[in-house]
Amino acid sequence: MRLLKFLFALIIFCTVLLTGCGVNDKINKENDKNINALVSDSSSPSKEKKSPWEIAFKSTFDKSTFTLAGFVDNSTGIVMGHHGAIYYTKDGGKIWSKADNEAHIILGFDYVDDKSIFSCGDQGTIRYSNDAGASWTKLPEYDPLDQDPYTSISFVNHKEGWVASSSKVGYTFDGGNTWTTLKLPESCKKIASISLRTKNVGYILDTSGNLFITSDNGANWTQKTLNLKEDEKINGIAGAQVAAIRFADERN
């Protein structure tokens, strides 16, 4: 009887021991798995959040300082700057070609479509391209006696557009062959940027953050404000466009 009790107890003991070994073995395997995962995560570089912006190209053009760039679609784009430097692309920036241009300093430009571009700059410079920027035609100067450079230009079609210096805005209805000076709002300070949305509706932004809107091509103006703080005022170097403004419609 004692021998049977002893054997029974021994069987129970061995069963518990084997069960415990199986559980421990399972736990050890889980621990090893967790440790390996931890080591793997710690040895790999941390995952940084991908930026929504990508570098399109890095300039390799020598002796050129570019201050302007723009694309009218995914393929057609242009870069412009000091000394009349202009490069254009028709394949989304893969290949850039140097434009034929003799302008001194280009300070503003605007696409009418994928081939037509108007540009402005110092010394009364206004030019037009009808081949996506490959070649340029010099247009008559708007007030050639004015030494204030033209920093902003905006066209709604091939004929009607605005050009602006820091102190005045000119309007053309014949593609830049003749210009008429618009009467500015009395409270308009130094002009920072312009935008002509239709042949009659246009916008002026001044360096104090005031937005002036006309619906009759400058005959009358309404004023709104950006409510800029003192340290948010629009400042910049002389003879350069310091801000840009565009309206897609009357609200946006």
Side-chain angles (χ1 to χ4, degrees):
M1 180 65 74
R2 290 182 180 179
L3 180 59
L4 289 176
K5 289 183 178 180
F6 172 75
L7 292 175
F8 180 74
L10 181 62
I11 292 171
I12 296 295
F13 175 76
C14 291
T15 301
V16 173
L17 182 61
L18 291 174
T19 303
C21 290
V23 173
N24 288 337
D25 184 56
K26 185 177 180 180
I27 293 174
N28 289 336
K29 288 181 179 179
E30 288 294 328
N31 288 339
D32 290 342
K33 182 178 179 181
N34 293 336
I35 291 173
N36 289 334
L38 183 62
V39 171
S40 177
D41 288 344
S42 63
S43 61
S44 61
S46 59
K47 295 181 180 179
E48 297 181 358
K49 186 177 180 181
K50 185 178 180 180
S51 171
W53 290 89
E54 295 180 1
I55 296 176
F57 81 102
K58 292 184 179 181
S59 172
T60 58
F61 313 135
D62 296 332
K63 300 180 180 178
S64 298
T65 301
F66 297 104
T67 55
L68 299 168
F71 274 75
V72 68
D73 54 36
N74 289 335
S75 300
T76 307
I78 197 166
V79 291
M80 316 171 85
H82 291 288
H83 308 297
I86 299 176
Y87 285 80
Y88 63 96
T89 181
K90 295 182 179 180
D91 58 6
K94 295 177 182 179
I95 299 175
W96 292 86
S97 303
K98 193 175 190 304
D100 178 20
N101 180 55
E102 298 178 356
H104 182 213
I105 298 176
I106 303 168
L107 301 172
F109 79 95
D110 191 26
Y111 276 102
V112 177
D113 52 42
D114 60 350
K115 292 183 178 179
S116 304
I117 313 171
F118 286 90
S119 71
C120 62
D122 69 339
Q123 301 176 353
T125 299
I126 299 176
R127 279 173 165 74
Y128 171 71
S129 173
N130 62 0
D131 53 11
S135 61
W136 293 82
T137 300
K138 183 178 180 180
L139 299 177
E141 297 178 0
Y142 164 43
D143 194 355
L145 298 179
D146 186 7
Q147 298 300 310
D148 199 3
Y150 308 145
T151 59
S152 187
I153 194 166
S154 180
F155 271 74
V156 293
N157 52 48
H158 293 85
K159 296 294 184 181
E160 295 165 301
W162 284 4
V163 67
S165 66
S166 63
S167 59
K168 66 183 180 182
V169 175
Y171 173 74
T172 182
F173 57 86
D174 56 9
N177 289 304
T178 59
W179 294 89
T180 301
T181 300
L182 298 184
K183 183 180 179 181
L184 299 181
E186 294 183 359
S187 57
C188 180
K189 306 300 180 183
K190 190 175 182 180
I191 297 171
S193 186
I194 59 171
S195 178
L196 186 61
R197 185 170 61 81
T198 72
K199 65 179 184 179
N200 293 316
V201 179
Y203 307 82
I204 295 176
L205 177 68
D206 71 7
T207 54
S208 296
N210 296 311
L211 180 66
F212 301 93
I213 307 168
T214 180
S215 58
D216 49 18
N217 201 30
N220 297 280
W221 297 89
T222 58
Q223 180 177 345
K224 299 179 183 294
T225 180
L226 273 62
N227 293 317
L228 299 180
K229 299 178 182 178
E230 188 62 33
D231 59 350
E232 295 175 338
K233 295 297 174 65
I234 302 169
N235 298 308
I237 61 175
Q241 188 174 352
V242 297
I245 185 170
R246 289 290 184 273
F247 273 79
D249 52 47
E250 65 181 5
R251 297 180 62 86
N252 301 288

